[in-house]
């Protein structure tokens, strides 16, 4: 893989990348990525296939680029793979079931081995008995060779793949202790005098090998159980969708059908208390619907005919008949689950630190174990070689890199799921990490600060025109547009029964308006800049337009045949949640900048009401992108919040793009964060979530580093000259298992973190 900016080879797995439409362009550094984002047309893209999240696929939490068709160990780190997409059920985990069975068998055999070894240490007569090593061999061999078989298989695979990991160390340590003990039990005469104790016997460590395998198995069982809980958010989302739907047939009958059989256009009945089966539009009935699953807000929303409903939301006390609009993978719930699953297996830049350390960690541990063995063999007390073996095995066992590797992905997995339950969808881990540092938020006005559901507030026809003819022409021009102003004009025309004019050659002029031909004449609807481009003079209209703008209304100009036809003023109410959202953002130290294509007067009217001091009005989409570039050159970490096609360039250029879930798909594809209900309070939630997750990751990394910084020297015998303490391999195994479980347990605390 080559970096499209500098041409350097990108390490696998890539840390820096931009994912779009199922492929990702990879970079060797954040700097190259920023250069690419600033001017993507300048570079030829190198698209690397990004495996789709498919049902039945399994991936590794530490190496998300690993995908295979079924469960098994990761070829890089040896960890158990987990499903890419949760089934939403608590089906038995084959890996957990296998490890549990091996653990219970090994426990039953290890306990007598351990007790026999302890008794031999306490009773000199028993220690001298010839049958003791043989009994330990008989009991420990099934533990090591059968119960510990997965560890040796994974350790061998790690060497073949040249990817040393925790199982490399476990298999080396356990295998060394076991093989040494077998040789000592069967052929004690081959060992030099330094290996013999005062009674002339060669010590065996069958109990150490058995206990290590048993404790590692216990750690695996606890880890697998804890990891299952990290997907609770996805399971909770999947459980919201009902299994069946009540479909109304053309002949008036009702039938219960599997949800998978529902087709677009089907009429479905939703009874009181039932979950809405799929995304649709209310045809009949009136009810309050609990939409907390997509908004995080507990307040039910009143639904009447014509209103949209979302699959998975819960109907209140009234009955509804809806028309299915989106089914299967197209529904909002399915898209949320897909986004959450993809984000949970993405990599944060902070993971690069752990990757660099892990790359040299295992070889360094093996060298440390060899050095420890050599020092004990040369300078240790008798029996020197026995002490040397114990210290080397302890170093290999305690230095588990698993905690280091799990520190980031476990926190990301839990944090992304936590955000989804609050209506904050994180597209990838990089966006989550950058969100913590954002200090400037650039917001659009329409659909972001305001409801985005504009209504026509004023009609000012020119001489020879009336309100009906004005609306007819405007509706004809806007019929092909997706802008929120178009919806308001079309709605007003429908309410007044003004038939839209027939328009030919429709053309949308980005950031300015629309134009076309009506009965052979050129007609246009848009802002003053569009009229200027078309040389249409609205001289004398400025005072009226100014007066409407000062009231916070957006004024659009309508021209027909190169002459003014009139003005249409559209009002877009400010969202009820916006003032509180801006206060929360201010408390978090985020400066808000309003950048809108609307005119200066209307923009400042909204800004004045909301207390926003920095306003850039009348700007084109590319100019909004320039604002983002300028802020970034000043050293700012910039987030952009928007909902329309015109916001997409700025969303892509921002450090963090934030899309309103109520906006266009293009905006959501360009953003790193999506607010499902378009509530700006979600940005404050995203910021707090980012701070919580990054803080949790730092705690995990600190614990992993400190654990190894303290554990390895102690295992090597650092305390022996001062206190006569040499760490037992059994204690090292317990500490190693505890480190991994504690990292996962710390990550799981994020599930209860208030946002």
């Amino acid at each position: 893989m080559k970096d499209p900016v500098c041409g350097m080879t990108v390490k696998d797995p890539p840390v820096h990348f931009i994912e779009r439409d199922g492929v990702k362009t990879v970079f060797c550094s954040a700097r190259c990525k920023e250069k690419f984002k600033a001017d993507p047309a300048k570079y030829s893209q190198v698209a690397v296939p990004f495996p789709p999240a498919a049902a039945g696929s399994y991936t590794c939490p530490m190496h998300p680029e690993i995908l295979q068709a079924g469960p098994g160990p990761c070829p890089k780190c040896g960890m158990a793979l987990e499903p890419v997409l949760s089934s939403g059920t608590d089906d038995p985990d084959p890996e957990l079931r296998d490890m549990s069975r091996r653990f219970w068998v090994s426990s039953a055999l290890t306990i007598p081995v351990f007790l026999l070894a302890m008794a031999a240490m306490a009773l000199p007569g028993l220690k001298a008995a010839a049958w003791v090593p043989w009994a330990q061999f008989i009991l420990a061999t099934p533990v090591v060779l059968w119960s510990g078989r997965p560890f040796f298989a994974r350790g061998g695979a790690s060497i073949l793949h040249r990817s040393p990991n925790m199982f490399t160390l476990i298999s080396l340590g356990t295998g060394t202790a076991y093989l040494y003990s077998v040789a000592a039990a069967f052929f004690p005469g081959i060992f030099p005098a330094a290996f013999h104790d005062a009674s002339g016997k060669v010590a065996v460590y069958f109990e150490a090998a058995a206990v290590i395998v048993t404790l590692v198995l216990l750690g695996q069982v606890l880890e697998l159980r804890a990891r299952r809980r990290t997907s609770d958010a996805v399971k909770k989302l999947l459980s919201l969708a009902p299994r069946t739907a009540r479909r109304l047939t053309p002949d008036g009958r009702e039938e219960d059908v599997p949800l998978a059989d529902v087709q677009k256009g089907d009429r479905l009945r939703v009874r009181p208390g039932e979950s809405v089966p799929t995304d649709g539009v209310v045809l009949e009935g009136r009810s309050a619907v609990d939409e907390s699953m997509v908004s995080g807000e507990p307040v039910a929303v009143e639904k009447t005919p014509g209103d949209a409903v979302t699959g998975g939301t819960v109907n209140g006390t009234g009955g509804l008949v809806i028309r299915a609009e989106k089914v299967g993978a197209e529904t909002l719930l399915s898209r949320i689950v897909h986004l959450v699953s993809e984000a949970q297996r993405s990599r944060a830049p902070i993971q690069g630190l752990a990757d660099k350390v892990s790359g040299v960690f295992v070889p360094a541990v093996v060298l440390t174990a060899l050095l420890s063995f050599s020092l004990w063999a040369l300078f240790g007390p008798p029996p020197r070689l026995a002490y040397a073996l114990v210290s080397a095995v302890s170093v290999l066992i305690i230095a588990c890199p698993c905690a280091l590797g799990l520190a980031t992905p476990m926190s990301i997995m839990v944090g992304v799921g936590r955000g989804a339950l609050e209506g904050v969808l994180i597209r990838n881990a990089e966006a989550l990490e950058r969100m913590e540092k954002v200090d400037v938020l650039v917001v659009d006005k329409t659909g972001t600060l305001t409801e985005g559901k504009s209504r026509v507030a004023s009609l000012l026809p020119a001489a020879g025109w009336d309100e009906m003819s004005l609306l007819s022409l405007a509706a004809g021009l806007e019929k092909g547009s997706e802008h929120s102003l178009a919806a308001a004009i079309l709605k007003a025309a429908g309410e007044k029964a003004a038939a839209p004019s027939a328009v030919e050659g429709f053309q949308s002029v980005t950031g300015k308006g629309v134009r076309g031909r009506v009965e052979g004449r050129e007609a246009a609807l848009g802002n003053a800049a569009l009229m200027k481009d078309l040389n249409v003079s609205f001289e004398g209209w400025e005072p009226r337009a100014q007066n409407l703008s000062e009231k916070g209304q957006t004024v659009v100009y309508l021209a027909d045949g190169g002459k003014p036809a009139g003005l249409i003023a559209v009002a877009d109410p400010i969202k009820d949640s916006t003032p509180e959202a801006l206060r929360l953002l201010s408390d978090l130290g985020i400066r808000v900048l309003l950048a809108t294509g609307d005119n200066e007067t209307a923009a400042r009217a909204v800004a004045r009401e909301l207390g926003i001091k920095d306003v850039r009005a009348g700007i084109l989409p590319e100019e909004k992108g320039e604002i983002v570039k300028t802020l970034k050159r000043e050293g700012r970490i910039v987030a952009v919040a928007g909902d329309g096609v015109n916001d997409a360039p700025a969303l892509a250029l921002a450090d963090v793009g934030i899309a309103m879930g109520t906006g266009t798909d293009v905006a959501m594809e360009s953003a790193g964060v999506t607010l499902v209900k378009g509530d700006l309070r979600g940005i404050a939630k995203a910021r707090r979530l980012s701070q919580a997750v990054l803080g949790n990751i730092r705690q995990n990394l600190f614990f992993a580093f400190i654990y190894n910084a303290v554990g390895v020297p102690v295992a090597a015998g650092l305390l022996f000259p001062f206190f006569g303490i040499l760490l037992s391999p059994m204690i090292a195994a317990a500490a190693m298992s505890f480190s991994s479980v504690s990292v996962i347990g710390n990550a799981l605390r994020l599930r209860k973190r208030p946002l």
Side-chain angles (χ1 to χ4, degrees):
M1 296 182 287
K2 300 290 185 180
D3 188 310
V5 177
C6 67
M8 292 184 63
T9 300
V10 181
K11 69 176 182 178
D12 183 33
V15 175
H16 307 283
F17 59 86
I18 298 175
E19 181 196 344
R20 291 287 185 272
D21 301 325
V23 299
K24 60 181 178 182
T25 303
V26 299
F27 307 91
C28 67
S29 65
R31 182 179 180 184
C32 287
K33 178 179 176 180
E34 292 306 311
K35 286 185 177 180
F36 182 89
K37 287 174 67 176
D39 192 3
K42 184 177 179 181
Y43 307 101
S44 58
Q45 293 195 39
V46 181
V48 179
F50 192 63
S57 296
Y58 282 70
T59 186
C60 174
M62 287 170 58
H63 300 95
E65 72 279 5
I66 299 296
L67 279 180
Q68 69 178 42
C74 172
K76 286 194 173 184
C77 68
M79 289 184 63
L81 301 181
E82 54 192 27
V84 170
L85 293 178
S86 172
S87 64
T89 63
D90 289 321
D91 295 333
D93 181 347
E95 182 78 15
L96 176 58
R97 188 171 55 240
D98 179 61
M99 287 294 178
S100 298
R101 183 172 61 250
R102 293 177 188 272
F103 167 71
W104 289 115
V105 171
S106 66
S107 297
L109 295 171
T110 298
I111 291 173
V113 174
F114 179 77
L115 293 176
L116 188 59
M118 295 301 103
M121 293 175 62
L123 303 173
L126 185 62
K127 183 176 182 180
W131 62 270
V132 172
W134 292 96
Q136 290 179 307
F137 166 75
I138 292 171
L139 291 168
T141 296
V143 175
V144 175
L145 299 186
W146 181 78
S147 296
R149 182 180 177 182
F151 306 149
F152 291 104
R154 296 175 186 185
S158 71
I159 295 173
L160 290 176
H161 288 95
R162 287 181 287 184
S163 179
N165 53 53
M166 65 171 285
F167 295 104
T168 313
L169 302 179
I170 293 170
S171 57
L172 283 175
T174 307
T176 300
Y178 176 76
L179 293 175
Y180 164 82
S181 300
V182 169
F186 282 85
F187 312 104
I190 68 172
F191 291 87
F195 275 81
H196 293 261
D197 58 21
S199 63
K201 296 192 66 176
V202 179
V204 293
Y205 296 98
F206 286 119
E207 84 285 354
V211 170
I212 288 171
V213 169
T214 303
L215 288 173
V216 174
L217 282 169
L218 175 60
Q220 289 291 293
V221 170
L222 294 176
E223 179 184 313
L224 288 167
R225 287 180 177 175
R227 279 167 56 186
R228 281 170 65 88
R229 294 168 62 193
T230 62
S231 61
D232 281 353
V234 174
K235 290 179 182 177
K236 185 174 181 180
L237 289 170
L238 287 170
S239 68
L240 295 172
R243 302 295 181 187
T244 61
R246 180 164 289 260
R247 182 165 59 191
L248 302 179
T249 62
D251 59 5
R253 292 185 299 107
E254 296 185 7
E255 57 180 4
D256 288 331
V257 297
L259 190 61
D261 292 345
V262 175
Q263 304 293 321
K264 291 182 181 178
D266 284 352
R267 293 188 306 138
L268 309 173
R269 183 178 298 282
V270 186
R271 290 171 293 192
E274 291 184 336
S275 293
V276 177
T278 190
D279 295 2
V281 174
V282 177
L283 298 177
E284 302 174 16
R286 183 186 188 96
S287 182
V289 176
D290 179 359
E291 296 187 333
S292 58
M293 78 93 174
V294 294
S295 66
E297 297 297 326
V299 180
V301 180
E302 190 73 20
K303 299 293 182 179
T304 57
D307 290 338
V309 289
T310 302
T313 55
V314 180
N315 186 25
T317 57
L320 298 174
V321 174
I322 69 170
R323 181 179 65 246
E325 296 287 330
K326 294 181 179 179
V327 297
E330 297 177 349
T331 64
L332 176 62
L333 182 59
S334 296
R335 290 170 64 192
I336 289 174
V337 170
H338 176 77
L339 282 171
V340 170
S341 299
E342 291 290 322
Q344 285 182 331
R345 65 190 186 103
S346 63
R347 298 170 67 84
I350 196 172
Q351 177 71 22
L353 174 63
D355 291 340
K356 291 177 182 178
V357 174
S358 298
V360 298
F361 185 78
V362 175
V365 169
V366 174
L367 290 175
T368 302
L370 292 174
L371 178 62
S372 176
F373 182 90
S374 301
L375 292 174
W376 275 97
L378 292 173
F379 307 109
R384 293 177 180 176
L385 294 180
Y387 277 122
L389 180 67
V390 170
S391 66
V393 171
S394 295
V395 168
L396 290 172
I397 295 300
I398 201 169
C400 171
C402 186
L404 189 62
L406 287 172
T408 298
M410 287 297 104
S411 298
I412 294 293
M413 186 174 293
V414 179
V416 168
R418 179 76 180 87
L421 296 178
E422 293 286 339
V424 179
L425 301 185
I426 309 297
R427 189 177 182 85
N428 53 54
E430 183 178 5
L432 184 63
E433 181 173 337
R434 285 182 174 271
M435 191 69 209
E436 184 195 34
K437 301 174 183 177
V438 166
D439 55 9
V440 176
L441 172 66
V442 178
V443 295
D444 185 37
K445 180 176 77 70
T446 305
T448 303
L449 297 177
T450 62
E451 292 180 359
K453 298 177 181 178
S454 304
R455 57 181 178 81
V456 173
S458 304
L459 294 169
L460 299 180
W465 291 77
D466 56 29
E467 292 186 356
M468 291 290 286
S469 58
L470 196 69
L471 276 176
S472 294
L473 178 58
L477 287 168
E478 291 285 28
K479 196 157 61 170
S481 174
E482 294 184 355
H483 197 279
S484 60
L485 294 178
I489 291 172
L490 289 169
K491 184 177 181 180
E495 291 173 351
K496 292 182 177 292
S501 301
V503 175
E504 298 177 347
F506 171 82
Q507 180 183 356
S508 176
V509 184
T510 304
K512 295 183 179 180
V514 294
R515 56 188 299 188
R517 291 188 303 278
V518 178
E519 298 180 357
R521 303 186 308 274
E522 289 290 332
L525 178 71
N527 57 23
L530 178 63
M531 297 301 119
K532 184 177 180 181
D533 291 346
L534 299 176
N535 294 319
V536 179
S537 173
F538 272 82
E539 186 177 355
W541 290 81
E542 287 82 358
R544 283 177 284 183
Q546 181 74 13
N547 182 52
L548 293 172
S549 296
E550 288 175 354
K551 296 178 182 178
Q553 300 178 13
T554 300
V555 179
V556 290
Y557 299 79
L558 182 62
D560 181 42
K563 297 180 180 179
L567 301 179
I568 300 177
V570 177
D572 185 8
I574 293 172
K575 294 177 182 177
D576 293 338
S577 61
T578 298
E580 181 186 355
L582 295 179
R583 178 184 58 78
L584 292 172
L585 292 172
S586 177
D587 292 343
L588 290 169
I590 298 176
R591 164 190 159 203
V592 177
L593 183 154
L594 173 58
T596 176
D598 215 341
N599 65 76
E600 182 85 16
T601 306
R604 290 203 174 275
V606 172
R608 186 166 51 250
E609 185 173 346
L610 294 173
I612 299 175
K613 297 178 181 178
D614 201 344
V615 180
R616 317 287 172 86
I619 60 173
L620 299 175
E622 55 267 28
E623 293 174 326
K624 189 177 292 188
E626 287 299 322
I627 291 173
V628 174
K629 290 180 183 179
T630 300
L631 289 169
K632 292 174 71 173
R633 282 195 293 267
E634 294 173 357
R636 302 286 190 176
I637 306 299
V638 184
V640 173
D643 73 328
V645 175
N646 61 319
D647 297 311
L651 289 170
L653 283 169
D655 293 294
V656 181
I658 302 171
M660 303 294 111
T662 50
T664 64
D665 289 343
V666 174
M668 285 184 274
E669 286 296 321
S670 303
V673 177
T674 298
L675 308 181
V676 176
K677 294 298 289 183
D679 187 339
L680 281 180
R681 288 177 296 185
I683 300 178
K685 289 182 179 180
R687 174 59 170 265
R688 289 193 290 265
L689 177 66
S690 175
Q691 292 172 332
V693 170
L694 268 295
N696 194 271
I697 289 173
R698 294 185 185 105
Q699 292 167 7
N700 286 344
L701 289 174
F702 175 80
F703 176 81
F705 281 125
I706 291 298
Y707 163 80
N708 284 293
V710 173
V712 172
V714 171
L718 180 65
L719 299 180
F720 189 84
F722 307 101
F723 305 103
I725 298 174
L726 182 61
L727 192 67
S728 165
M730 294 180 287
I731 297 176
M736 181 270 292
S737 297
F738 172 75
S739 68
S740 299
V741 175
S742 62
V743 163
I744 298 175
N746 188 46
L748 288 172
R749 292 192 307 113
L750 290 170
R751 298 189 309 166
K752 305 296 183 182
R753 181 66 179 258
L755 298 179

